[in-house]
Amino acid sequence: MNSKKATLIGLSAVLLWSAIVGLIRGVSEHLGATGGAAAIYTVASLFLMVSVGFPRLSSFPRRYLVWGSVLFVAYELCLSLSIGYAHTGRQAIEVGMVNYLWPTFTLVAAILFGGQRATLLVVPGFILSMLGICWVLGGNQGLDLPVMLANIQDNPLSYGLAFIGALIWAAYCTVTTRIAEGRNGVTPFFMLVALALWVKVLLGGHAAELSFSVPALVYLLLAAAAMGLGYAAWNVGILHGNVTVLAGASYFIPVLSSALSAALLRAPLPPSFWVGAALVCAGSILCWRATSAGHREA
């Protein structure tokens, strides 16, 4: 496969992932937060089995299987349930934006724990990302601390899960880079997420929420495809395409995700939201530039 084709396939993952927030929310509105997430990861696992296949686990480092699976499952649970538990479509989009702090957290973790060299650009980058989230949560007026706190207090579970998820995914990216030895356990990890969610469905009495209909099935297939095929496409791009182009494009996922989610959920967003989303993107890009420049100086 040539590099341009692989890069285009990788870029398709950016579009697929940008639709995830709106699609997960659409499924949860029909099948419930837990049952909907369980169904999504089950069908996504099937997509991955076809597109990526199931690896030979005996060839994987044991540390990667243990820590990779724990962190991956924990993150996906935080992501799916934080969106599913949101009270409204707009709140689901805001929760998704909080989750997109993970690129900034990942780069900061690489500097603090992975020995990654960086310039002082990382400081304004981190500040901009956090400022952007505060702007998003500040309501129609933008940066408004009382409104932001009121929004969080309205649903601390969703916002808390999204924030914790961003930290967990940063840990996953930092840890697995060092211990995976080039292995990719996304298929079995997705299956573990589905299993954990089905256990929660059964033990929590959420089975009654499952009410399948044509709209529910459409949302389910689209969400599962966006997740499963997104990971598969990204893997092709990273292995055979232009990694620099893909990395740069990934930092615009928050804006793309918000736009697609707003359309899917019919949740119009005020200008202040887009200012916050742009700040999150700008902060992530500055952190990325800081580590890139630090690497060149080394």
Side-chain angles (χ1 to χ4, degrees):
M1 180 179 295
N2 63 59
S3 177
K4 288 185 178 179
K5 184 177 180 181
T7 302
L8 287 174
I9 292 174
L11 288 173
S12 72
V14 173
L15 292 176
L16 289 169
W17 285 340
S18 296
I20 282 178
V21 171
L23 293 173
I24 289 178
R25 178 64 185 178
V27 174
S28 68
E29 288 177 351
H30 289 88
L31 303 178
T34 307
I40 290 172
Y41 284 94
T42 300
V43 179
S45 297
L46 297 177
F47 278 120
L48 284 167
M49 281 289 291
V50 174
S51 59
V52 177
F54 193 89
R56 187 164 57 91
L57 296 181
S58 59
S59 65
F60 280 47
R62 182 167 297 181
R63 285 195 306 162
Y64 171 58
L65 285 177
V66 173
W67 287 108
S69 61
V70 168
L71 292 172
F72 190 95
V73 171
Y75 167 72
E76 297 294 343
L77 290 178
C78 287
L79 171 64
S80 58
L81 295 179
S82 66
I83 296 170
Y85 288 147
H87 293 164
T88 64
R90 175 168 172 178
Q91 193 172 85
I93 298 172
E94 292 178 354
V95 164
M97 186 61 64
V98 173
N99 173 72
Y100 286 125
L101 282 172
W102 69 261
T104 298
F105 289 164
T106 299
L107 292 170
V108 172
I111 295 167
L112 295 177
F113 307 112
Q116 172 70 56
R117 293 181 179 273
T119 68
L120 289 177
L121 276 176
V122 72
V123 176
F126 181 81
I127 292 173
L128 274 180
S129 292
M130 300 306 297
L131 181 63
I133 290 300
C134 293
W135 212 291
V136 164
L137 300 183
N140 296 337
Q141 302 305 315
L143 193 59
D144 190 323
L145 185 59
V147 174
M148 182 187 75
L149 293 176
N151 281 342
I152 295 173
Q153 290 172 356
D154 177 62
N155 192 350
L157 179 60
S158 278
Y159 290 114
L161 285 174
F163 186 80
I164 292 170
L167 293 173
I168 292 173
W169 191 248
Y172 174 86
C173 294
T174 304
V175 170
T176 56
T177 299
R178 303 173 66 178
I179 65 177
E181 297 180 7
R183 301 296 193 274
N184 182 9
V186 65
T187 302
F189 291 170
F190 255 72
M191 292 179 174
L192 286 175
V193 176
L195 178 61
L197 285 165
W198 282 120
V199 169
K200 188 175 187 301
V201 168
L202 296 175
L203 296 182
H206 300 292
E209 299 175 4
L210 295 170
S211 179
F212 289 95
S213 61
V214 172
L217 291 173
V218 170
Y219 269 111
L220 173 58
L221 289 174
L222 290 174
M227 279 201 167
L229 298 181
Y231 275 100
W234 186 256
N235 192 52
V236 171
I238 288 297
L239 291 177
H240 307 291
N242 189 318
V243 176
T244 301
V245 171
L246 294 175
S250 69
Y251 291 113
F252 292 95
I253 289 179
V255 171
L256 291 173
S257 174
S258 299
L260 288 174
S261 299
L264 285 169
L265 301 176
R266 297 180 179 85
L269 300 170
S272 60
F273 180 95
W274 298 109
V275 172
L279 288 174
V280 172
C281 290
S284 296
I285 292 171
L286 273 182
C287 288
W288 173 57
R289 292 294 298 169
T291 53
S292 299
H295 180 73
R296 288 196 298 271
E297 290 173 6

